[in-house]
Amino acid sequence: MPAIQLTPAQRKEKRSDAHHLDPVVMIGADGLTPAVVKETDAALNAHGLIKVRVLSDDRENRESIFAELSDKLDAAPIQHIGKLLVLWRPMPEKVKAVREDAKAGPRIVKIVKFSKSGNNRPQVKKLEVFGNQRVAQGGEIKRAKRKMTSTKKSSQNG
């Protein structure tokens, strides 16, 4: 039996989620090869809920493929209707690499200049501001000033 057991309500919800999906894996005349299992595993990691199309006409063969895929990949069998199989497995958490030496990247800043008479539309300009820059009051981009440190304080602490 597969490792994931779902209640009928959960299975019904997954079936409704899979209704609009297209098959991402197709199993041809060669049957369930290691390459097909690998592709199905990759699709489950990427999508979580997938449809598999089996091109065989033999129903017993399709049922055995369905059971074997769900056992090998620790996926929950959701539905077997016709030549379509629906499998679900929770997607693994994606690990985001955090760099300690990373600094602020460029950002887009929207500058709005209103007209002196209130009749005209304001001018909107989008500018790219880098990490060492700041937007001055007039909408100009200037380099950020270094933080001033007192020479007295640094000599007293040392």
Side-chain angles (χ1 to χ4, degrees):
M1 288 302 292
I4 302 172
Q5 296 293 327
L6 297 177
T7 64
Q10 290 171 326
R11 187 168 278 116
K12 183 178 180 181
E13 184 181 334
K14 300 294 181 199
R15 271 199 317 261
S16 67
D17 291 343
H19 178 72
H20 71 282
L21 296 178
D22 293 325
V24 285
V25 178
M26 295 206 182
I27 300 175
D30 292 340
L32 198 59
T33 62
V36 170
V37 173
K38 184 178 176 184
E39 282 300 312
T40 309
D41 187 37
L44 281 170
N45 285 337
H47 303 290
L49 182 67
I50 63 167
K51 278 186 181 177
V52 178
R53 182 176 297 276
V54 183
L55 301 177
S56 170
D57 288 330
D58 186 19
R59 181 167 177 80
E60 289 81 28
N61 185 23
R62 290 194 305 264
E63 287 175 353
S64 66
I65 287 174
F66 193 38
E68 194 174 341
L69 271 177
S70 59
D71 284 340
K72 280 185 178 179
L73 301 175
D74 294 328
I78 302 297
Q79 187 178 27
H80 172 207
I81 184 163
K83 295 183 178 186
L84 287 176
L85 315 174
V86 180
L87 295 169
W88 175 78
R89 183 173 67 191
M91 291 175 54
E93 292 291 324
K94 294 182 180 173
V95 179
K96 189 174 182 182
V98 178
R99 289 183 37 202
E100 287 130 22
D101 61 338
K103 297 184 180 177
R107 61 191 187 278
I108 305 295
V109 176
K110 199 185 288 187
I111 297 175
V112 181
K113 286 189 179 180
F114 294 98
S115 66
K116 294 187 178 178
S117 68
N119 299 336
N120 297 337
R121 285 187 171 182
Q123 293 178 345
V124 178
K125 222 180 357 176
K126 289 184 180 180
L127 299 173
E128 189 172 18
V129 179
F130 296 104
N132 64 342
Q133 296 175 335
R134 64 184 174 89
V135 180
Q137 190 172 359
E140 308 166 24
I141 294 182
K142 294 188 173 182
R143 286 196 167 192
K145 294 180 183 174
R146 289 198 175 265
K147 196 172 189 180
M148 298 299 289
T149 56
S150 171
T151 55
K152 284 185 180 179
K153 286 184 182 177
S154 62
S155 63
Q156 287 175 357
N157 291 339

